[in-house]
């Protein structure tokens, strides 16, 4: 076997060829990488740009939705719009409205939460919704503010939106006036009460055989009044109220006495004039956070500007010649009321204590010397609920009861006390929002105890400024 050994020149030529092949392969690899890398980078940049564009479009859409919902809530809180039956104003189903512990409105977006959780918009099982909080500034505008992280969801506080919707709630219990807002309340009322009494003065020999006098009394009392009240919100939790009235009364008393023959006597009495002026202040103790009732404390003072029963003229027998238009005594009434939202109704109630201040009359009427008179104090309570059928119409049902303690009077240096009274009445109220500034309210009371008036009707026209 003969081996052929390449010459040095041949070996150099083969080495050069190998180096050329390696260089060509290296250049081809570099060229391939150079050609592929821009394409891959371009593809990645295009995908990232598309994702960023989608996210920017989604964020812009969410911002528009947030602004629309904030404007809608601001208008509803101001009571300037009605959204009943308006599809354009309905809240999107992808949004949930909540409030945090400070009472700020929170808009929860399910789609944004799904994106943060790595899921497609509308996909089920998304993470808890992202919360965007907003609060009302002193100018009444809603401003977005970051929601506290980890804040637990709280039941929606709807009292602000229902301020007008629940106007049927009895006066003195409803939500306070807004800060810096003045409102006038024009009202007229009518009260009707009657009493029948049968008195026998004599002796009864056997059942059915009576010797003496039978006296039957029937009294019909009609009272009408025109009232004007001004309310002003000092702060978001305090309001003051000043009230004056003009009263007209008419009583018809018929007495029938049975002696040898029936004797009938009818007395008509009337009176009109300024009634007792009242002033009150109410303070909202809490904001109803975490589903708690809203408590409101009140203090009312009643003057003696009206003509009292000891100020009217009387004849020589001590019988009044006209009717009084006021109580003739000062009075102070502290009270505590509550409102408890329980969708779709609001439960309300109150307790109060009306204290009359005693007064020394120091005059003689019909041969009787009248000294100090202390009208009986009254303990009152009420309970009921208000229900809003739509943003314009609401009604309320309730019951109120007052226990009036005996009145003590010093007559000829002898203190005498009257009987206590139990005054209970069923309440029914209606309210209709006419415009943004005017509403019409009607309240009825029907007496259910012997001492209560038969009925009372109040027609009110609140005017907001």
């Amino acid at each position: 076997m003969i081996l052929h050994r390449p010459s040095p020149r041949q070996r150099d030529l083969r080495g050069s060829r190998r180096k050329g092949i390696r260089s060509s392969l290296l250049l081809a690899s570099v060229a391939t990488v150079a050609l592929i890398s821009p394409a891959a980078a371009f593809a990645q940049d295009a995908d990232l740009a598309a994702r960023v564009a989608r996210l920017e479009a989604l964020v812009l859409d969410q911002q528009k939705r947030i602004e629309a919902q904030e404007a809608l809530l601001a208008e509803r809180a101001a009571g300037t719009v009605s959204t009943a039956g308006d599809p354009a104003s309905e809240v999107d189903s992808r949004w949930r409205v909540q409030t945090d512990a400070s009472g700020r409105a929170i808009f929860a977006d399910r789609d944004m939460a799904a994106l943060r959780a790595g899921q497609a918009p509308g996909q089920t099982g998304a993470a808890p919704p992202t919360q965007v909080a907003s609060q009302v500034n002193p100018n009444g505008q809603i401003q977005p503010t970051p929601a506290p992280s980890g804040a637990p969801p709280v039941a929606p506080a709807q009292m602000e939106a229902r301020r007008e919707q629940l106007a049927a709630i009895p006066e003195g219990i409803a939500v306070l006036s807004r800060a810096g807002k003045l409102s006038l309340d024009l009202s007229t009322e009518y009260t009707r009460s009657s009493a029948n009494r049968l008195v026998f003065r004599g002796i009864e020999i056997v059942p059915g055989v009576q010797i003496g006098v039978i006296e039957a009394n029937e009294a019909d009392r009609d009272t009408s009044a025109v009232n004007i009240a001004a309310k002003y919100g000092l702060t978001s939790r305090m309001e003051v109220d000043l009230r004056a009235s003009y009263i007209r009364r008419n009583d018809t008393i018929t007495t029938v006495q049975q002696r040898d023959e029936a004797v009938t006597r009818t007395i008509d009495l009337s009176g009109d004039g300024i009634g007792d002026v009242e002033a009150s202040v109410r303070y909202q103790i809490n904001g109803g956070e975490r589903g708690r009732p809203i408590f409101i404390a009140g203090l009312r003072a009643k003057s003696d500007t009206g003509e009292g029963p000891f100020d009217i003229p009387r004849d020589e027998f001590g019988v009044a010649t006209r009717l009084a238009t006021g109580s003739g005594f000062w009075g102070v009434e502290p009270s505590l009321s509550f409102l408890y939202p329980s969708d779709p109704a609001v439960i309300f109630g109150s307790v109060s204590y009306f204290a009359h201040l005693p007064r020394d009359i120091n005059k003689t009427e019909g041969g009787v010397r009248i000294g100090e008179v202390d009208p009986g104090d009254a303990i009152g309570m009420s309970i009921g609920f208000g229900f809003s059928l739509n943003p314009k119409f609401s009604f309320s049902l309730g019951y109120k009861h007052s226990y009036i303690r005996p009145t003590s009077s010093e007559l000829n240096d002898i203190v005498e006390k009257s009987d206590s009274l139990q005054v209970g009445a069923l309440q029914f109220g209606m309210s209709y929002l006419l415009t943004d500034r005017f509403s019409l309210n009607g309240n009825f009371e029907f007496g259910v105890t012997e001492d209560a008036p038969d009925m009372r009707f109040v027609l009110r026209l609140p005017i907001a400024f």
Side-chain angles (χ1 to χ4, degrees):
M1 181 175 182
I2 301 174
L3 298 175
H4 178 71
R5 179 174 295 178
S7 63
R9 189 169 179 272
Q10 291 177 339
R11 288 197 299 270
D12 294 339
L13 182 60
R14 291 178 179 175
S16 299
R17 289 177 179 174
R18 291 192 186 98
K19 291 180 180 179
I21 292 173
R22 291 195 189 101
S23 299
S24 298
L25 292 175
L26 181 60
L27 290 174
S29 299
V30 171
T32 302
V33 171
L35 292 175
I36 293 176
S37 296
F42 179 77
Q44 292 179 358
D45 291 342
D47 182 60
L48 180 60
R51 292 176 60 187
V52 170
R54 287 195 299 271
L55 289 176
E56 290 178 350
L58 181 59
V59 169
L60 181 61
D61 178 67
Q62 305 308 326
Q63 182 64 29
K64 292 181 178 179
R65 292 176 180 271
I66 290 174
E67 293 175 355
Q69 299 301 329
E70 289 177 351
L72 180 61
L73 280 185
E75 293 175 351
R76 287 182 177 177
T80 58
V81 295
S82 172
T83 60
D86 185 5
S89 63
E90 294 295 331
V91 179
D92 197 306
S93 59
R94 61 190 282 189
W95 291 86
R96 293 189 297 111
V97 182
Q98 301 175 343
T99 55
D100 60 10
S102 62
R104 297 178 300 176
I106 297 176
F107 302 89
D109 183 7
R110 295 186 177 90
D111 287 356
M112 183 65 73
L115 286 176
R116 288 193 177 184
Q119 301 172 348
Q123 182 176 347
T124 60
T130 302
Q131 295 179 344
V132 180
S134 63
Q135 60 185 353
V136 179
N137 63 15
N139 297 325
Q141 301 174 346
I142 297 181
Q143 295 179 338
T145 56
S149 59
V154 183
Q158 302 177 351
M159 292 310 302
E160 184 68 20
R162 293 187 176 181
R163 187 184 302 270
E164 290 83 6
Q165 298 181 22
L166 293 178
I169 292 179
E171 193 175 4
I173 299 180
V175 182
L176 305 183
S177 302
R178 299 184 184 93
K181 296 296 183 179
L182 174 67
S183 63
L184 291 180
D185 194 330
L186 306 178
S187 64
T188 179
E189 63 178 270
Y190 170 75
T191 304
R192 170 75 173 186
S193 61
S194 60
N196 296 316
R197 185 177 64 175
L198 181 64
V199 179
F200 170 67
R201 297 186 177 93
I203 61 174
E204 187 174 32
I205 305 300
V206 295
V209 178
Q210 299 171 342
I211 300 177
V213 177
I214 298 177
E215 181 178 306
N217 293 333
E218 180 180 356
D220 297 323
R221 295 180 171 88
D222 299 298
T223 303
S224 58
V226 177
N227 310 309
I228 180 171
K231 298 181 181 180
Y232 182 76
L234 294 178
T235 67
S236 59
R237 290 197 173 187
M238 179 179 290
E239 76 168 8
V240 292
D241 181 359
L242 184 63
R243 183 179 303 271
S245 59
Y246 183 87
I247 297 177
R248 182 176 181 83
R249 297 180 57 192
N250 184 76
D251 288 5
T252 300
I253 303 174
T254 302
T255 301
V256 179
Q257 293 181 347
Q258 183 68 41
R259 294 194 178 109
D260 296 336
E261 58 182 13
V263 178
T264 303
R265 184 178 61 175
T266 301
I267 301 176
D268 286 322
L269 295 176
S270 62
D272 60 274
I274 300 297
D276 294 338
V277 177
E278 301 178 5
S280 62
V281 58
R282 301 171 64 216
Y283 177 76
Q284 181 176 324
I285 299 175
N286 64 329
E289 298 87 355
R290 304 183 184 275
R292 298 171 183 170
I294 298 176
F295 290 96
I296 301 174
L299 181 64
R300 180 170 69 101
K302 184 187 69 64
S303 68
D304 60 351
T305 53
E307 193 175 29
F310 299 104
D311 302 324
I312 57 177
R314 298 175 181 268
D315 58 19
E316 66 273 15
F317 303 104
V319 179
T321 58
R322 67 169 181 261
L323 298 177
T325 59
S327 66
F329 296 86
W330 279 82
V332 179
E333 181 187 40
S335 63
L336 179 66
S337 59
F338 75 89
L339 293 167
Y340 183 70
S342 179
D343 259 348
V346 172
I347 302 173
F348 63 84
S350 68
V351 292
S352 62
Y353 186 88
F354 191 90
H356 280 103
L357 304 182
R359 172 186 168 191
D360 188 7
I361 304 302
N362 192 23
K363 64 189 306 185
T364 301
E365 296 288 355
V368 178
R369 183 66 181 178
I370 304 174
E372 185 180 76
V373 177
D374 186 5
D377 298 341
I379 303 173
M381 59 80 62
S382 66
I383 190 70
F385 71 92
F387 189 89
S388 178
L389 296 179
N390 55 56
K392 287 184 174 292
F393 180 76
S394 62
F395 71 92
S396 66
L397 293 173
Y399 175 78
K400 73 172 186 178
H401 194 96
S402 296
Y403 168 71
I404 302 177
R405 303 175 63 183
T407 296
S408 61
S409 304
E410 186 179 355
L411 305 176
N412 290 333
D413 298 327
I414 299 176
V415 177
E416 296 185 2
K417 290 188 176 182
S418 65
D419 296 331
S420 60
L421 302 177
Q422 299 283 352
V423 180
L426 293 176
Q427 296 178 304
F428 173 67
M430 297 181 295
S431 176
Y432 187 81
L433 186 64
L434 300 175
T435 65
D436 301 338
R437 296 176 54 190
F438 300 91
S439 62
L440 189 63
N441 302 345
N443 294 90
F444 299 85
E445 294 181 7
F446 303 98
V448 296
T449 61
E450 183 179 357
D451 302 321
D454 296 341
M455 64 86 64
R456 178 173 176 259
F457 171 67
V458 181
L459 183 64
R460 297 171 48 223
L461 181 66
I463 305 174
F465 292 95

